[in-house]
Amino acid sequence: MSVTSDKRAPGVRISDLSVVYRTGAGELPAVRGVDLELEPGTITGVVGESGSGKSTLALSMLNAVQPPGRIRSGSVEIDGLGDVVTLGGDDLRKTRGRHVGYVFQAAQNSLNPLKTVGKQLLDLGRSHDVDDLPGLVKEARSLLDRMGLDGARVLDSYQHELSGGMRQRVGIMLALVLNAHVVVLDEPTTALDMITQATILRIIREVHEERGLTTLVITHDLGVVAEIADRLAVMYGGRLVEQGPTREVLGAPKHPYTQGLLQAIPRLVGDIDEARALPGRPPTLGTIPPDGCVFRERCAVRMDVCETGEPPVLTIGPRVVACHTAAGDGEQKETVTTGPTRGEEQA
Amino acid sequence: MTATTIMPEARSASATLRRNFWRGVWRVMKRKPSRMAGVVIMAGFAFMGVFGPMFYPEHLPRDTSALYAPPSWAHPFGTDFEGTDVLALVITGSRYVLLTGLVTAVITVVLGAGIGLFAGFRRGRWDSVLMRITDMKLTIPGLPLMLVLSTIWKFTSAIEMGLVLGLLGWGGVARAVRSQTLSLRERGFVEAARGLGLSTPHIIGRELLPSMAPYIAMNMLIAVTGAVYAQVGLFFLGVLPFEANNWGVMLNLAVFGGGALTTTAALPYLLAPLLAILLLTLGIVLVVDAMDEIFNPRLREE
Amino acid sequence: MITGKGITKTFRQRGGMLGAREVPALRGVDFSIEKGGAVSFIGESGCGKTTLGRILAGLESYDSGEIVIDGVPMSSLRPKQRQPHFRRVQLIHQDPYSALNPARTIHQTLDAPLTLRAKQTGRSRSWIDERAEELLGLVGLDPGYVLPRYPHQLSGGMRQRVVIARALTVDPDMLVADEATSMIDVSLRLGILGLLKDLRDRLGVSVLFITHDVATARYIGLDGELYVIYRGQVVERGPVETVISDPVHPYTQSLLSAIPVLHGLEVPGAERVVPTEAIDAAQPDAGCLFAARCPFRTERCTSELPVLGHDGGTLQEHACFHPQRRSVVATPAVAS
């Protein structure tokens, strides 16, 4: 991918990141000890259910966690920028947009209903001290044209005049127009139709390659990640439980949660009885167990050690998995079947 | 039969619910000291209005040797032009003021919420008719109407006064409740109730009303202050003939009789009723702050 | 059994100064659902599938056409008399957060319709409480835990189960599940789908499943029928497995091609049709409604409107002049 522009794409290293929220019951961790590296020019997908901490992780990329939340420890190193966690004030504000572009969840609601898209673009430009505003408008128009819209017309439109898919494109345009090379997309296709979703995913992939970006996609939908991401990271209860190249993780998931999640998705072909619901329900901030494995309540292969021992984080080639079961048999494949195919290595 | 054994169980379920509700209310009030202060102030005024006048003879004693006396232990807020204790005047005058406020609030809320709910739920023709009436009502200027009315009506009883103020005041509440109803009726649970064939009274009373309770309670409390201001203003202006004493009468006499704005002698006489009004408003404002949390189960239980 | 014939519905949008604009939501839709059967409507948002569900649940009126519920044609009744019939169709809302009254406990929520039911059937107060517990058990919830709680104290999956239990209070013949799992966590969705499937078997309730997710539609009713709806018109209809494996209408093919492929587990369908998005939904004056987006359109498609029907070669009905079977759905990757 993106062979031509790899040099421009910065890498991002998130290390030992912990984010806590202050509640009546003290400070509770929404994200705990997350290590994640976004290699330059790749798309990384983070998958998780509600309460998994995926959106908090995305906000941390911009150091934009709002009180009562705060980043307790760890760092987010972006090439050419340094540790975002230590930035503050004006430096931080300039970072957002210029270096890191953010496409908000349900971009349909993140536009100002009282201003045209063009006006909001100019506001964005002014707040970032862009001298060449006509140039900015030109860039925006070409981005919108690139995404299959009539740029000039969209810039003259109000939010309500645009469909869901068009608003999502506007969100992507606003994230990229200041020439950011790290882009975070939070649930980019939620509430969109299947066909629109497919189009938006294609556009994300194409723009990513053309502009040489490093992209992070946050979603609850494994399908979205499967379509566009090079690497896949699975979050549960604030932890990263598994990560690796998308095809390998989907083809042969190692963590019981990833396996369960894949099995819980109804498929278009094959025996429908293969699909199995995961028992229990995802933890909320207040019910995440403080120690031991976060997933053990719902795990089919739990052991005594899961109650108390923090699962070891194992690196197996390009893959990382945090599970006690993986500790014993290292490189061995799991025995649980995943959907119609058995979990075979695809590498 | 089992019916008889289950019945008390059902009743106890609703009793538990009620107990939990009041426990929740207590929790919400305890959360901020200001709310407790508000409750204490309002309870104090309620006590004053109900029992206050009982502590004083029908005709308050006059001390002709101490006209416009300054504050002292015997007269904490001094005396008026006749030598009557100002504190006694404030207390005995509170009943009329508070009762008016209460009657106004009840009428405002019952009429406003009733009309708003009905119009918003029924929509269509009912809505148009009721809202046109509301609009017409909203265009009636209150003060001039009161001035005209006062020439033929003496408003000797607080209930009459409250009735008139209430009939003048329900328009705003009706409009706001209607728009709330219009948005709530599209919510899933109201549609579900319709789909299940539940009766309109059930939907309005049990499904819609509880969701609007904080809003209605707030409006009710605010209507009390509005009514107090309105009537005190009318008496202050001297538009209404005063037969009994009340706070507005006191203000009128202090300013126009005692010249409180130019000399200091009548100042305590002026400030005492003002202070009472301010304190009452403060108490209400402090309590209004808790309404959202009281009527929203999530905020209440947390 | 519930059937519909030629259902049409047009919404009148207030278009500001230019006056009312007419938006056709349904253009003569025929359907039929057996007792205990499963029918799925799939299509993009705004295609009319939700409107049809709401019409069947009696929450929306229709302009013309006939609905027959258990042999009783609705046109033979006055509007007031129709309500008890439409009540036998209960709608499960997409959003379990707004479908329950936040100010009422689950006990209160179930008590109201059950009280009404008890009155109609002359049952005692004790029956109400027993039935509430029975229904919660049926949807897989612990009555002791759920009954005294407020909706905010339950998870999305539990709420959706409560919503289903509430719909069952009136002993419906059919449940209309409108995107009933789209707002529920992925790991919990299958539980809700399984419950709906289970209710078909155990209670003989038929399920009308409205969704844009074909795989969930398949899960609920493998034995059922799939209706593909485009702009208020049924463009393809047939047994679920047939429509998924051998779609003949280009719109169905686009829709199925757009479903993300789980690379690593699956390989994309051989003849995946690259779908075009409806950016400009301008109304064609004549011809096929899908023509503007169709990669296979011909002269005839823009001048003549195809109608739903069989032709010799296909198992399913379709509304296309150039039906061609294409295999577009992802298939399992062959284990190496």
Side-chain angles (χ1 to χ4, degrees), chain A residues 48-50 147-149 153 163 165-166 169 192-202 220-224 226-227 246-248 250-251 257 261-273 275-278 280-282 298 338 340-342 344-346, chain C residues 43-45 49 145 153-155 158 182 184-191 193 197 212-216 218-220 222 241 244 251 254-266 272 274-280 290 293 329-336:
Chain A
E49 296 178 89
S50 61
M147 291 189 271
L149 300 181
R153 215 180 81 190
S163 70
M166 292 161 92
R169 288 175 173 82
L192 297 182
D193 289 308
M194 278 293 174
I195 292 180
T196 313
Q197 163 171 307
T199 317
I200 293 287
L201 292 180
R202 200 193 69 229
H220 69 276
D221 190 344
L222 266 176
V224 167
E227 275 291 313
T246 306
R247 280 162 195 255
E248 286 184 37
L250 291 181
Y257 174 61
L261 201 58
L262 266 173
Q263 241 178 342
I265 301 173
R267 307 284 282 279
L268 279 173
V269 282
D271 187 352
I272 57 168
D273 294 327
R276 239 176 264 314
L278 256 172
R281 54 173 157 140
R298 307 173 73 185
T338 49
T341 48
R342 282 196 142 251
E344 303 281 80
E345 290 283 352
Q346 299 281 311
Chain C
E44 293 165 290
S45 59
K49 59 190 197 299
Y145 176 82
Q153 294 165 315
L154 307 177
S155 72
M158 288 165 102
S182 66
I184 291 171
D185 269 316
V186 181
S187 73
L188 304 178
R189 279 185 194 171
L190 205 69
L193 295 173
K197 202 158 79 130
H212 60 258
D213 182 357
V214 192
T216 57
R218 175 174 180 265
Y219 187 81
I220 290 234
L222 205 54
E241 288 285 55
I244 289 176
Y251 176 64
S254 305
L255 213 52
L256 292 170
S257 301
I259 297 167
V261 176
L262 293 174
H263 293 281
L265 265 184
E266 301 170 335
R272 220 176 171 187
V274 177
T276 41
E277 189 190 5
I279 286 188
D280 227 331
F290 187 63
R293 296 169 68 185
V329 172
T331 50
V334 186
S336 50

Side-chain angles (χ1 to χ4, degrees), chain A residues 154-196:
Chain A
V154 169
L155 288 179
D156 276 336
S157 304
Y158 290 93
Q159 175 204 291
H160 70 269
E161 295 168 316
L162 305 173
S163 70
M166 292 161 92
R167 287 178 206 172
Q168 196 64 45
R169 288 175 173 82
V170 169
I172 295 172
M173 178 275 285
L174 290 174
L176 292 177
V177 73
L178 290 171
N179 220 11
H181 282 283
V182 177
V183 178
V184 181
L185 297 122
D186 193 358
E187 298 282 8
T189 61
T190 304
L192 297 182
D193 289 308
M194 278 293 174
I195 292 180
T196 313

